[in-house]
Protein backbone atom coordinates (compact mmCIF):
# COMPACT_ATOMS: atom_id res chain seq x y z
CA UNK A 1 0.00 0.00 0.00
CA UNK A 2 2.80 2.40 0.93
CA UNK A 3 4.54 1.65 -2.36
CA UNK A 4 1.34 2.36 -4.31
CA UNK A 5 0.93 5.68 -2.50
CA UNK A 6 4.50 6.67 -3.30
CA UNK A 7 4.13 5.73 -6.96
CA UNK A 8 0.84 7.60 -7.15
CA UNK A 9 2.37 10.70 -5.60
CA UNK A 10 5.29 10.53 -7.99
CA UNK A 11 2.98 10.26 -11.00
CA UNK A 12 0.96 13.26 -9.83
CA UNK A 13 4.15 15.18 -9.35
CA UNK A 14 5.27 14.39 -12.90
CA UNK A 15 1.87 15.32 -14.33
CA UNK A 16 1.77 18.66 -12.56
CA UNK A 17 5.52 19.33 -12.73
CA UNK A 18 5.80 19.72 -8.96
CA UNK A 19 8.65 17.32 -8.18
CA UNK A 20 12.08 18.95 -8.54
CA UNK A 21 13.90 15.88 -7.27
CA UNK A 22 15.50 14.52 -10.44
CA UNK A 23 18.63 16.62 -10.08
CA UNK A 24 18.76 16.00 -6.33
CA UNK A 25 18.69 12.26 -6.88
CA UNK A 26 21.66 12.24 -9.24
CA UNK A 27 24.62 10.36 -7.84
CA UNK A 28 27.56 8.43 -9.19
CA UNK A 29 29.79 5.73 -7.86
CA UNK A 30 32.79 7.77 -6.75
CA UNK A 31 35.97 6.54 -8.38
CA UNK A 32 38.74 7.25 -5.89
CA UNK A 33 42.21 6.93 -7.31
CA UNK A 34 45.18 5.62 -5.41
CA UNK A 35 47.07 8.60 -3.93
CA UNK A 36 48.60 10.60 -6.76
CA UNK A 37 51.22 13.32 -7.14
CA UNK A 38 54.01 14.18 -4.74
CA UNK A 39 51.51 15.03 -2.01
CA UNK A 40 49.82 11.60 -2.34
CA UNK A 41 46.42 13.25 -1.93
CA UNK A 42 43.32 11.19 -2.79
CA UNK A 43 41.80 12.22 -6.11
CA UNK A 44 38.43 11.54 -7.74
CA UNK A 45 37.93 10.65 -11.39
CA UNK A 46 35.51 12.90 -13.25
CA UNK A 47 34.55 10.94 -16.38
CA UNK A 48 34.40 12.43 -19.86
CA UNK A 49 31.11 13.81 -21.08
CA UNK A 50 29.03 16.95 -21.24
CA UNK A 51 27.33 18.90 -18.48
CA UNK A 52 25.29 22.12 -18.25
CA UNK A 53 27.41 25.06 -17.07
CA UNK A 54 25.90 28.25 -15.71
CA UNK A 55 22.55 29.22 -14.21
CA UNK A 56 19.71 26.80 -15.03
CA UNK A 57 16.69 27.98 -17.03
CA UNK A 58 14.10 29.56 -14.79
CA UNK A 59 16.52 30.78 -12.12
CA UNK A 60 16.33 34.54 -11.72
CA UNK A 61 19.21 35.20 -9.37
CA UNK A 62 22.90 35.42 -10.05
CA UNK A 63 25.21 37.78 -11.84
CA UNK A 64 25.34 38.57 -15.53
CA UNK A 65 28.60 36.64 -15.72
CA UNK A 66 26.81 33.37 -14.87
CA UNK A 67 24.78 33.39 -18.10
CA UNK A 68 24.04 31.90 -20.55
CA UNK A 69 23.70 28.27 -19.45
CA UNK A 70 25.66 26.27 -22.01
CA UNK A 71 26.67 22.67 -22.59
CA UNK A 72 30.35 21.91 -22.06
CA UNK A 73 32.14 18.70 -23.00
CA UNK A 74 35.16 17.77 -20.88
CA UNK A 75 37.67 14.98 -21.23
CA UNK A 76 38.23 12.73 -18.23
CA UNK A 77 40.29 14.37 -15.47
CA UNK A 78 41.17 13.89 -11.81
CA UNK A 79 40.51 16.37 -9.03
CA UNK A 80 41.55 16.39 -5.37
CA UNK A 81 38.83 14.94 -3.21
CA UNK A 82 39.63 17.52 -0.53
CA UNK A 83 40.94 21.07 -0.37
CA UNK A 84 44.70 21.30 0.13
CA UNK A 85 45.43 21.19 3.85
CA UNK A 86 48.00 22.95 5.99
CA UNK A 87 49.58 19.57 6.66
CA UNK A 88 50.28 19.02 2.97
CA UNK A 89 51.18 22.62 2.27
CA UNK A 90 53.83 22.75 4.98
CA UNK A 91 55.70 19.93 3.23
CA UNK A 92 55.77 22.12 0.13
CA UNK A 93 57.00 25.12 2.10
CA UNK A 94 59.82 23.15 3.70
CA UNK A 95 60.87 21.11 0.68
CA UNK A 96 60.57 23.81 -1.99
CA UNK A 97 61.58 26.77 0.17
CA UNK A 98 58.30 28.49 -0.68
CA UNK A 99 57.04 31.38 1.40
CA UNK A 100 54.85 30.76 4.45
CA UNK A 101 51.13 31.55 3.94
CA UNK A 102 50.55 34.90 5.59
CA UNK A 103 47.92 37.59 5.48
CA UNK A 104 49.72 40.75 4.33
CA UNK A 105 47.10 43.17 5.65
CA UNK A 106 45.82 41.58 8.85
CA UNK A 107 48.32 39.62 10.98
CA UNK A 108 45.51 38.56 13.35
CA UNK A 109 44.28 36.26 10.58
CA UNK A 110 47.54 34.30 10.38
CA UNK A 111 47.44 30.72 11.64
CA UNK A 112 51.04 29.56 11.23
CA UNK A 113 53.80 30.23 13.75
CA UNK A 114 56.60 30.97 11.34
CA UNK A 115 57.09 27.74 9.39
CA UNK A 116 55.32 25.63 12.01
CA UNK A 117 51.69 24.64 12.52
CA UNK A 118 49.76 23.14 15.41
CA UNK A 119 48.53 19.57 15.12
CA UNK A 120 44.92 20.79 15.16
CA UNK A 121 45.60 22.83 12.02
CA UNK A 122 46.96 19.91 10.00
CA UNK A 123 43.68 18.77 8.41
CA UNK A 124 42.14 22.21 7.93
CA UNK A 125 42.42 23.91 4.52
CA UNK A 126 45.36 26.20 3.96
CA UNK A 127 44.48 29.90 3.65
CA UNK A 128 46.39 33.15 3.00
CA UNK A 129 47.63 31.85 -0.35
CA UNK A 130 47.35 33.75 -3.61
CA UNK A 131 46.87 32.32 -7.10
CA UNK A 132 50.61 32.08 -7.68
CA UNK A 133 51.11 30.15 -4.42
CA UNK A 134 48.34 27.73 -5.39
CA UNK A 135 49.71 27.31 -8.91
CA UNK A 136 53.22 26.70 -7.56
CA UNK A 137 52.01 24.04 -5.13
CA UNK A 138 50.04 22.17 -7.78
CA UNK A 139 53.01 22.19 -10.13
CA UNK A 140 55.34 21.08 -7.35
CA UNK A 141 53.24 17.99 -6.69
CA UNK A 142 52.94 17.25 -10.43
CA UNK A 143 49.40 18.50 -10.88
CA UNK A 144 47.71 21.75 -11.93
CA UNK A 145 44.87 24.01 -10.88
CA UNK A 146 41.48 22.92 -12.24
CA UNK A 147 39.85 24.93 -14.99
CA UNK A 148 36.67 26.71 -14.04
CA UNK A 149 34.64 24.25 -16.12
CA UNK A 150 36.32 21.27 -14.45
CA UNK A 151 35.63 22.72 -11.04
CA UNK A 152 31.93 23.22 -11.82
CA UNK A 153 31.43 19.73 -13.24
CA UNK A 154 33.16 18.18 -10.23
CA UNK A 155 30.84 20.22 -8.00
CA UNK A 156 27.51 19.51 -9.67
CA UNK A 157 27.69 16.44 -11.87
CA UNK A 158 25.71 16.47 -15.10
CA UNK A 159 22.38 17.94 -14.00
CA UNK A 160 21.08 21.41 -13.20
CA UNK A 161 21.45 21.24 -9.45
CA UNK A 162 21.90 24.39 -7.39
CA UNK A 163 24.16 22.96 -4.72
CA UNK A 164 26.55 19.97 -4.73
CA UNK A 165 24.01 17.88 -2.77
CA UNK A 166 20.98 18.92 -4.88
CA UNK A 167 18.39 21.69 -4.64
CA UNK A 168 17.65 21.56 -0.91
CA UNK A 169 18.64 24.80 0.80
CA UNK A 170 21.93 24.55 2.73
CA UNK A 171 22.12 23.77 6.42
CA UNK A 172 24.94 23.40 8.92
CA UNK A 173 24.99 19.69 8.03
CA UNK A 174 25.99 20.47 4.42
CA UNK A 175 28.84 22.94 4.69
CA UNK A 176 30.85 25.38 6.78
CA UNK A 177 29.32 28.80 6.09
CA UNK A 178 27.78 31.89 7.69
CA UNK A 179 30.55 32.06 10.31
CA UNK A 180 32.53 34.78 12.04
CA UNK A 181 36.29 34.63 12.40
CA UNK A 182 37.37 32.89 15.61
CA UNK A 183 40.82 31.73 14.57
CA UNK A 184 41.67 28.27 13.26
CA UNK A 185 38.34 26.81 14.42
CA UNK A 186 36.60 29.05 11.88
CA UNK A 187 37.76 26.42 9.40
CA UNK A 188 36.61 22.82 9.55
CA UNK A 189 38.81 19.80 8.83
CA UNK A 190 38.39 18.82 5.19
CA UNK A 191 35.82 16.12 4.52
CA UNK A 192 33.71 16.98 7.57
CA UNK A 193 30.44 17.28 5.66
CA UNK A 194 29.30 13.95 4.27
CA UNK A 195 25.88 15.40 3.42
CA UNK A 196 27.46 18.17 1.39
CA UNK A 197 29.68 16.21 -0.98
CA UNK A 198 29.19 16.41 -4.74
CA UNK A 199 27.69 13.63 -6.89
CA UNK A 200 31.23 12.45 -7.64
CA UNK A 201 32.24 12.36 -3.98
CA UNK A 202 34.20 15.63 -3.91
CA UNK A 203 34.05 17.36 -0.52
CA UNK A 204 33.79 21.02 0.47
CA UNK A 205 33.30 22.39 -3.03
CA UNK A 206 31.13 25.01 -1.39
CA UNK A 207 31.88 26.43 2.03
CA UNK A 208 35.02 26.27 4.17
CA UNK A 209 37.19 28.29 1.74
CA UNK A 210 36.92 29.87 -1.69
CA UNK A 211 39.05 28.01 -4.23
CA UNK A 212 41.37 29.37 -6.88
CA UNK A 213 40.91 27.95 -10.37
CA UNK A 214 43.23 28.36 -13.31
CA UNK A 215 41.12 30.70 -15.47
CA UNK A 216 41.45 34.40 -16.04
CA UNK A 217 38.15 36.17 -15.41
CA UNK A 218 35.94 37.55 -18.16
CA UNK A 219 32.37 38.55 -17.29
CA UNK A 220 31.18 37.58 -20.78
CA UNK A 221 33.23 34.43 -21.25
CA UNK A 222 30.20 32.14 -21.19
CA UNK A 223 28.90 33.87 -24.32
CA UNK A 224 31.96 32.80 -26.33
CA UNK A 225 33.32 29.80 -24.45
CA UNK A 226 34.44 26.82 -26.54
CA UNK A 227 32.09 23.89 -26.20
CA UNK A 228 34.93 21.45 -25.48
CA UNK A 229 37.52 21.72 -22.69
CA UNK A 230 37.29 25.51 -22.19
CA UNK A 231 40.31 26.95 -20.42
CA UNK A 232 39.17 30.53 -19.95
CA UNK A 233 40.49 33.72 -21.59
CA UNK A 234 44.10 33.74 -22.76
CA UNK A 235 44.84 36.79 -20.65
CA UNK A 236 43.32 39.10 -18.08
CA UNK A 237 43.91 41.02 -14.87
CA UNK A 238 41.80 38.99 -12.43
CA UNK A 239 41.57 35.27 -11.72
CA UNK A 240 38.42 33.31 -10.83
CA UNK A 241 37.63 31.92 -7.39
CA UNK A 242 34.75 29.50 -6.86
CA UNK A 243 32.88 27.76 -4.08
CA UNK A 244 32.30 30.42 -1.39
CA UNK A 245 33.93 30.44 2.04
CA UNK A 246 33.17 30.14 5.73
CA UNK A 247 31.77 33.68 5.91
CA UNK A 248 29.31 33.42 3.01
CA UNK A 249 25.54 33.24 3.38
CA UNK A 250 23.07 31.09 1.43
CA UNK A 251 22.69 33.29 -1.71
CA UNK A 252 26.39 33.01 -2.58
CA UNK A 253 27.05 29.35 -1.85
CA UNK A 254 25.34 28.34 -5.10
CA UNK A 255 27.53 26.31 -7.43
CA UNK A 256 27.23 28.95 -10.16
CA UNK A 257 28.69 31.87 -8.19
CA UNK A 258 31.74 33.36 -9.95
CA UNK A 259 34.01 35.93 -8.34
CA UNK A 260 36.91 37.80 -9.90
CA UNK A 261 39.94 38.27 -7.69
CA UNK A 262 43.34 39.88 -7.83
CA UNK A 263 45.73 36.93 -8.32
CA UNK A 264 48.08 38.41 -5.71
CA UNK A 265 45.36 38.51 -3.05
CA UNK A 266 46.04 36.54 0.13
CA UNK A 267 43.32 36.34 2.77
CA UNK A 268 41.80 34.13 5.43
CA UNK A 269 38.98 32.74 3.28
CA UNK A 270 40.67 31.52 0.09
CA UNK A 271 42.44 28.23 -0.56
CA UNK A 272 42.48 25.71 -3.41
CA UNK A 273 42.58 22.13 -4.62
CA UNK A 274 44.51 20.58 -7.52
CA UNK A 275 43.48 18.70 -10.65
CA UNK A 276 45.35 16.47 -13.09
CA UNK A 277 45.02 14.90 -16.48
CA UNK A 278 44.52 11.15 -16.58
CA UNK A 279 47.81 9.28 -16.36
CA UNK A 280 49.45 11.06 -13.45
CA UNK A 281 51.21 8.71 -11.04
Amino acid sequence: MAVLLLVGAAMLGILFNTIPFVADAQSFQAVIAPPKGKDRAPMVEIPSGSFPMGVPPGDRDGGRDEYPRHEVLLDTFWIDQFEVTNGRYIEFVKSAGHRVPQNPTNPTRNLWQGDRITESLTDRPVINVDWFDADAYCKWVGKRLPTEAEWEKAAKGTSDRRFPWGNVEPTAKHLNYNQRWIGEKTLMPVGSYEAGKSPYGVYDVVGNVWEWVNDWYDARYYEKSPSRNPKGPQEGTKKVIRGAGWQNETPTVRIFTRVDSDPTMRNESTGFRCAADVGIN
Side-chain angles (χ1 to χ4, degrees):
M1 185 66 176
V3 173
L4 288 174
L5 288 172
L6 285 172
V7 171
M11 290 302 295
L12 286 172
I14 292 170
L15 286 172
F16 293 99
N17 194 29
T18 59
I19 298 183
F21 300 124
V22 174
D24 289 19
Q26 182 196 41
S27 63
F28 306 101
Q29 181 64 45
V31 179
I32 310 300
K36 293 180 180 293
K38 191 179 294 185
D39 59 357
R40 312 315 291 165
M43 301 191 81
V44 176
E45 180 186 276
I46 311 298
S48 64
S50 63
F51 79 102
M53 188 170 183
V55 177
D59 279 26
R60 297 182 179 180
D61 61 351
R64 178 67 185 82
D65 60 351
E66 299 168 8
Y67 295 86
R69 175 190 180 278
H70 55 293
E71 288 290 323
V72 172
L73 177 63
L74 296 178
D75 295 334
T76 301
F77 65 97
W78 297 94
I79 193 165
D80 285 350
Q81 190 174 22
F82 308 107
E83 293 163 333
V84 173
T85 63
N86 289 283
R88 286 195 161 90
Y89 199 82
I90 198 169
E91 295 303 316
F92 164 60
V93 168
K94 291 182 176 180
S95 297
H98 198 82
R99 68 180 178 184
V100 169
Q102 290 183 325
N103 190 309
T105 60
N106 189 348
T108 66
R109 302 298 170 93
N110 289 327
L111 298 178
W112 289 36
Q113 292 85 48
D115 62 354
R116 293 179 294 109
I117 60 173
T118 61
E119 183 177 352
S120 58
L121 198 59
T122 301
D123 291 331
R124 300 176 198 269
V126 67
I127 56 173
N128 294 322
V129 291
D130 68 15
W131 184 91
F132 297 99
D133 294 324
D135 181 60
Y137 174 91
C138 290
K139 288 178 177 176
W140 180 74
V141 299
K143 304 176 187 178
R144 57 176 173 77
L145 283 170
T147 66
E148 188 173 11
E150 288 173 338
W151 185 96
E152 187 162 321
K153 184 177 181 181
K156 69 185 289 187
T158 58
S159 63
D160 278 320
R161 54 177 54 200
R162 189 174 179 83
F163 306 103
W165 54 87
N167 292 323
V168 176
E169 290 294 294
T171 70
K173 293 182 179 180
H174 292 105
L175 75 164
N176 178 24
Y177 75 127
N178 201 22
Q179 304 290 334
R180 293 186 178 181
W181 181 258
I182 55 171
E184 71 173 54
K185 291 185 178 179
T186 311
L187 306 166
M188 289 294 290
V190 298
S192 294
Y193 297 91
E194 186 70 22
K197 67 183 180 183
S198 84
Y200 293 110
V202 183
Y203 288 79
D204 304 311
V205 276
V206 296
N208 228 10
V209 294
W210 288 92
E211 298 179 16
W212 291 109
V213 295
N214 190 64
D215 303 35
W216 291 107
Y217 176 82
D218 180 349
R220 296 188 175 274
Y221 185 68
Y222 284 9
E223 299 175 15
K224 54 196 173 186
S225 169
S227 60
R228 180 161 190 162
N229 297 322
K231 300 186 184 306
Q234 293 186 352
E235 57 185 9
T237 58
K238 300 289 185 67
K239 287 288 186 178
V240 179
I241 53 175
R242 299 294 298 263
W246 51 264
Q247 79 279 49
N248 288 86
E249 299 178 353
T250 298
T252 53
V253 300
R254 305 150 55 254
I255 288 172
F256 323 106
T257 302
R258 308 176 67 211
V259 172
D260 61 309
S261 182
D262 181 340
T264 65
M265 177 204 69
R266 288 181 284 164
N267 64 30
E268 65 277 11
S269 63
T270 305
F272 67 101
R273 74 179 75 223
C274 303
D277 298 324
V278 173
I280 181 177
N281 295 317

